[in-house]
Amino acid sequence: MSTLFISDIHLCAQRPDMTAALVHFLEHDAVGADALYVLGDLFEFWIGDDDPNPLHQTIADAFLALSQQNVPIYFIHGNRDFLLGQQYAKRAGMTLLGDPCIIELYGERVVLSHGDLLCTLDEGYQKFRRITQLKWLRWLFLRLPLPRRQAIAHKMRGQSQMENAYKSQSIMDVTPAAVDAMLRSHDCRMMIHGHTHRPAIHDFTLDGQPARRIVLGDWFEQGSVLICRPGEQRLEQRPLPQADMASQG
Ligand code: OKV
Ligand code: MN
């Protein structure tokens, strides 16, 4: 009996070791789980389900195989792969969820979110979000020819990297008041999110009652997974499978 949560894997063609690590996780660790939740930023960027990037098919195949072994897979968009659509979700056997989303986890109500919504002090990012959330602008973007989308996305990522270099760590973390408000408005005492790349279990008090916020880790130098069982949550960092094993699949 276990439910798994991962996020912030940031898959891209430049990190074949990460793709191999995730496929290994899906084929070995996730089999037999009650469910797998992916809380966003599975991919480093996403410019449409029609992108022929072979990495996307490799990952879709691995997720689909897991879902066919009766492990339901749920996906919440991150700030990087927010354009991932129903078409790809179907190919990967995943169900798309909104952000935030409330689930009942072994009898407890839990809020799930990617976490970017909670970083309210990051004004530059929140402006980016407001613009790219506009329905008509997304519609337009997705109708551009693929090379145009690639060029625009490449430019936007370069711009963002320069801006982030000047942002302080505290601006890029969650705002405690935003966490409290999200828990209160959904009548929950537990939240699970990613995005900040600061894996931790934070216990605190909310309106006189114990509350818990679990932050998932990223996959950059290691794997990271939250394993939930009735009454228990364990956050694990895992070394990547050996490179020679990874290349053998
Ligand atoms: C994802 C982020 C790039 C942050 C563009 C409309 C517009 C969507 C888009 C283009 C970029 C996603 C889809 C990407 C996240 C960045 C840079 C910063 C902070 C438009 C709708 F405006 F051009 F019309 N995009 N891509 N960033 O490369 O995946 O999260 S992306
Ligand atoms: Mn993120």
Side-chain angles (χ1 to χ4, degrees), residues 8 10 41 79-80 114 195:
D8 302 283
H10 294 272
D41 286 357
N79 56 296
R80 312 215 64 102
H114 175 58
H195 182 64

Side-chain angles (χ1 to χ4, degrees), residues 88-100:
Y88 184 77
K90 194 172 175 196
R91 264 162 66 201
M94 309 189 301
T95 302
L96 299 180
L97 301 176
D99 187 349

Side-chain angles (χ1 to χ4, degrees), residues 32-228:
D34 293 331
L36 170 66
Y37 288 86
V38 183
L39 301 190
D41 286 357
L42 173 62
F43 294 98
E44 175 64 14
F45 62 94
W46 196 269
I47 54 173
D49 292 1
D50 57 339
D51 185 344
N53 190 336
L55 157 71
H56 298 176
Q57 196 54 47
T58 305
I59 293 300
D61 291 345
F63 274 112
L64 187 66
L66 182 64
S67 78
Q68 286 168 346
Q69 294 173 83
N70 297 314
V71 179
I73 302 160
Y74 301 99
F75 181 84
I76 291 183
H77 292 106
N79 56 296
R80 312 215 64 102
D81 50 17
F82 60 86
L83 277 187
L84 192 151
Q86 202 58 60
Q87 192 194 315
Y88 184 77
K90 194 172 175 196
R91 264 162 66 201
M94 309 189 301
T95 302
L96 299 180
L97 301 176
D99 187 349
C101 166
I102 316 306
I103 61 164
E104 192 170 311
L105 185 62
Y106 305 120
E108 186 155 4
R109 280 169 62 81
V110 179
V111 192
L112 306 179
S113 176
H114 175 58
D116 54 317
L117 273 166
L118 302 166
C119 301
T120 56
L121 295 178
D122 193 344
E123 283 171 25
Y125 168 68
Q126 295 301 337
K127 187 176 166 201
F128 169 87
R129 186 183 154 90
R130 277 196 300 278
I131 293 169
T132 53
Q133 293 281 322
L134 293 168
K135 277 232 170 72
W136 63 271
L137 196 57
R138 286 186 175 200
W139 185 89
L140 267 179
F141 181 78
L142 287 172
R143 264 148 198 81
L144 294 173
L146 198 61
R148 286 282 305 282
R149 276 180 275 158
Q150 276 162 339
I152 293 170
H154 183 79
K155 201 168 172 181
M156 287 170 82
R157 290 204 304 282
Q159 185 76 39
S160 162
Q161 240 168 26
M162 290 196 296
E163 285 165 12
N164 282 348
Y166 293 99
K167 283 181 194 169
S168 75
Q169 286 297 304
S170 62
I171 280 179
M172 295 204 286
D173 201 355
V174 302
T175 311
V179 172
D180 293 357
M182 191 179 275
L183 282 167
R184 270 195 202 106
S185 69
H186 296 100
D187 195 25
C188 291
R189 287 290 170 276
M190 176 143 66
M191 175 186 299
I192 304 172
H193 71 82
H195 182 64
T196 62
H197 301 195
R198 296 169 197 215
I201 298 184
H202 299 278
D203 285 316
F204 58 106
T205 304
L206 179 65
D207 303 329
Q209 289 187 19
R212 174 167 280 194
R213 175 171 67 97
I214 304 178
V215 188
L216 306 177
D218 64 297
W219 292 43
F220 188 71
E221 278 158 353
Q222 73 289 303
S224 182
V225 58
L226 173 71
I227 304 164
C228 292

